[in-house]
Amino acid sequence: MAATTELISALLLFLLICSCNISNSEKTRRPEPCKRLVLYFHDIVYNGKNAQNATSAIVASPAWGNKTTLAVPNRFGDVVVFDDPVTLDNNFRSTPVGRAQGFYLYDKKEILTAWFGFSFVFNSTRLKGTINLAGADDIMKTTRDLSVVGGTGDFFMTRGIATLMTDALEDDQYFRLRVDVKLYECY
Ligand SMILES: *[C@@H]1O[C@H](CO)[C@@H](O)[C@H](O)[C@H]1NC(C)=O
Ligand SMILES: *[C@@H]1O[C@H](CO)[C@@H](O)[C@H](O)[C@H]1NC(C)=O
Ligand SMILES: *[C@@H]1O[C@H](CO)[C@@H](O)[C@H](O)[C@H]1NC(C)=O
């Protein structure tokens, strides 16, 4: 009986060491980014009065909401299309290097979460081409990772991870996201 118990604990210990080794080697196998850039994008949400200035629009809302005010609870069911200026620093008035264009939709009633599908479209002397992103945005978390699923031009065939942080949030009317783009495939 004692021998069996010892055997089992030896086996468990062995399995534990094995699994530790696997997760360690998997971590060390993660590559360093081949290109990295930090971008900011500025979203001015339509509030019923700022149609001239707004850079995003609610284009679909649940039957119990409307397209002027974000839905309750937690904006669930709203689909927002945006065309936001992209800058290299956090200043709204800096010269943009491109636009962030696409949509986000709010996809959970219980808490604030969104799903993003958009492109960084660059058209500056420094940067040309696009970076295409998609993924879940758990807004309540400090940092969220989106997938970089592809690119064109300076970012031909790229893939990687983009880490989002909410850099500013003003009265549901303006938000600024900081995006740390880490690319692992560069050509
Ligand atoms: C939209 O819904 C909000 C409440 O959710 C309401 O206060 C507002 O008046 C509505 N706007 C329009 C244009 O129906
Ligand atoms: C990109 O910039 C060039 C030069 O300013 C301009 O001719 C071209 O129309 C722009 N393209 C887009 C898609 O904005
Ligand atoms: C447009 O919106 C931004 C962000 O809310 C604000 O800083 C700016 O003053 C607005 N501009 C105009 C002309 O209303």
Side-chain angles (χ1 to χ4, degrees):
M1 200 59 194
T4 320
T5 317
E6 254 167 46
L7 191 67
I8 290 174
S9 19
L11 201 65
L12 284 178
L13 192 66
F14 175 72
L15 285 176
L16 199 69
I17 291 166
C18 274
S19 61
C20 283
N21 280 344
I22 288 168
S23 55
N24 273 341
S25 63
E26 248 161 34
K27 258 183 214 146
T28 53
R29 235 187 289 146
R30 280 199 184 161
E32 287 295 309
C34 49
K35 199 181 265 181
R36 190 163 182 172
L37 65 161
V38 174
L39 302 167
Y40 293 82
F41 71 95
H42 308 261
D43 195 64
I44 303 168
V45 185
Y46 176 61
N47 63 2
K49 289 172 279 201
N50 62 348
Q52 292 288 322
N53 199 22
T55 63
S56 69
I58 305 172
V59 296
S61 73
W64 62 82
N66 61 46
K67 292 182 207 153
T68 306
T69 310
L70 290 158
V72 179
N74 289 311
R75 308 173 182 184
F76 179 74
D78 284 331
V79 180
V80 178
V81 170
F82 63 95
D83 173 16
D84 292 345
V86 174
T87 56
L88 296 176
D89 62 19
N90 65 1
N91 189 343
F92 176 64
R93 289 173 211 290
S94 295
T95 307
V97 292
R99 313 288 296 184
Q101 298 173 319
F103 68 91
Y104 49 89
L105 51 86
Y106 293 98
D107 54 4
K108 199 162 170 63
K109 260 185 163 174
E110 293 77 13
I111 54 166
L112 196 57
T113 65
W115 197 89
F116 264 99
F118 71 103
S119 300
F120 285 121
V121 181
F122 298 104
N123 190 13
S124 71
T125 44
R126 251 184 87 176
L127 295 170
K128 290 213 160 42
T130 63
I131 299 177
N132 300 307
L133 300 94
D137 180 7
D138 189 350
I139 298 167
M140 305 317 286
K141 293 222 172 87
T142 316
T143 63
R144 300 86 73 174
D145 286 344
L146 297 186
S147 303
V148 173
V149 296
T152 64
D154 288 346
F155 306 98
F156 177 81
M157 293 278 282
T158 198
R159 287 202 300 166
I161 297 290
T163 303
L164 297 187
M165 280 176 78
T166 307
D167 197 54
L169 182 64
E170 289 163 19
D171 305 332
D172 280 355
Q173 264 188 51
Y174 168 77
F175 68 78
R176 179 171 67 235
L177 295 180
R178 179 186 189 273
V179 191
D180 185 358
V181 183
K182 287 152 283 185
L183 303 176
Y184 297 91
E185 283 183 32
C186 308
Y187 297 95

Coordinates of all heavy atoms in Angstrom, one line a residue, residues 43-45 50 52-54 92-93 170 173-174, ligand 3:
D43 N -11.1 59.0 -31.1 CA -12.4 58.7 -31.5 C -13.4 59.8 -30.9 O -13.5 59.9 -29.7 CB -12.8 57.3 -31.1 CG -14.1 56.8 -31.8 OD1 -14.1 56.6 -33.0 OD2 -15.1 56.6 -31.1
I44 N -14.0 60.6 -31.8 CA -15.0 61.5 -31.3 C -16.4 60.9 -31.6 O -16.8 60.8 -32.8 CB -14.9 62.9 -32.0 CG1 -13.5 63.4 -31.7 CG2 -15.9 63.9 -31.4 CD1 -13.1 64.6 -32.5
V45 N -17.1 60.5 -30.5 CA -18.3 59.8 -30.7 C -19.5 60.8 -30.9 O -19.5 61.9 -30.3 CB -18.6 59.0 -29.3 CG1 -19.8 58.2 -29.5 CG2 -17.4 58.2 -29.0
N50 N -22.9 66.9 -32.4 CA -21.6 67.2 -33.0 C -21.3 66.5 -34.3 O -20.2 66.0 -34.6 CB -20.5 66.8 -32.0 CG -20.5 65.3 -31.7 OD1 -21.5 64.6 -32.1 ND2 -19.5 64.8 -31.0
Q52 N -20.7 67.5 -37.2 CA -19.6 68.1 -37.9 C -18.3 67.5 -37.5 O -17.4 67.3 -38.3 CB -19.6 69.6 -37.7 CG -20.7 70.4 -38.3 CD -20.6 70.5 -39.8 OE1 -19.6 70.6 -40.4 NE2 -21.8 70.3 -40.5
N53 N -18.2 67.3 -36.2 CA -16.9 67.0 -35.6 C -16.7 65.5 -35.3 O -15.6 65.0 -35.2 CB -16.9 67.8 -34.2 CG -15.5 67.9 -33.7 OD1 -14.5 67.8 -34.4 ND2 -15.4 68.1 -32.4
A54 N -17.8 64.8 -35.3 CA -17.7 63.3 -34.9 C -16.9 62.5 -35.9 O -17.0 62.8 -37.1 CB -19.1 62.8 -34.8
F92 N -4.1 65.2 -29.7 CA -5.2 65.2 -30.7 C -4.8 66.1 -31.9 O -5.3 65.9 -33.0 CB -6.4 65.7 -30.0 CG -7.6 65.9 -30.8 CD1 -8.2 64.8 -31.4 CD2 -8.2 67.1 -30.9 CE1 -9.3 64.9 -32.2 CE2 -9.3 67.3 -31.7 CZ -9.9 66.2 -32.4
R93 N -4.0 67.2 -31.6 CA -3.8 68.1 -32.7 C -2.5 67.9 -33.5 O -2.1 68.6 -34.4 CB -3.7 69.5 -32.1 CG -5.1 70.0 -31.7 CD -5.2 71.3 -30.9 NE -6.4 71.2 -30.0 CZ -7.6 71.2 -30.4 NH1 -7.9 71.3 -31.7 NH2 -8.6 71.1 -29.5
E170 N -13.4 60.9 -22.2 CA -14.0 62.1 -21.7 C -15.5 62.0 -22.0 O -16.0 62.0 -23.2 CB -13.4 63.3 -22.4 CG -12.0 63.7 -21.9 CD -11.3 64.6 -22.9 OE1 -11.9 65.2 -23.7 OE2 -10.0 64.6 -22.8
Q173 N -17.7 61.0 -24.9 CA -17.7 61.8 -26.2 C -16.4 61.7 -26.9 O -16.4 61.9 -28.1 CB -18.0 63.2 -25.8 CG -19.4 63.6 -25.9 CD -19.6 65.1 -25.8 OE1 -18.9 65.9 -26.4 NE2 -20.5 65.5 -24.9
Y174 N -15.4 61.4 -26.2 CA -14.0 61.3 -26.8 C -13.3 60.2 -26.1 O -13.3 60.1 -24.9 CB -13.3 62.7 -26.6 CG -11.8 62.6 -27.0 CD1 -11.4 62.6 -28.3 CD2 -10.9 62.6 -26.0 CE1 -10.1 62.6 -28.7 CE2 -9.5 62.5 -26.3 CZ -9.1 62.5 -27.7 OH -7.8 62.5 -28.0
Ligands
LIG3 C1 -14.3 68.2 -31.5 O1 -14.2 67.3 -30.5 C2 -13.0 67.3 -29.7 C3 -13.1 66.1 -28.8 O2 -14.2 66.1 -28.0 C4 -12.9 68.6 -29.0 O3 -11.6 68.6 -28.3 C5 -12.9 69.7 -30.1 O4 -12.9 71.0 -29.4 C6 -14.2 69.6 -30.9 N1 -14.1 70.6 -32.0 C7 -15.1 71.3 -32.3 C8 -14.9 72.3 -33.4 O5 -16.2 71.2 -31.8

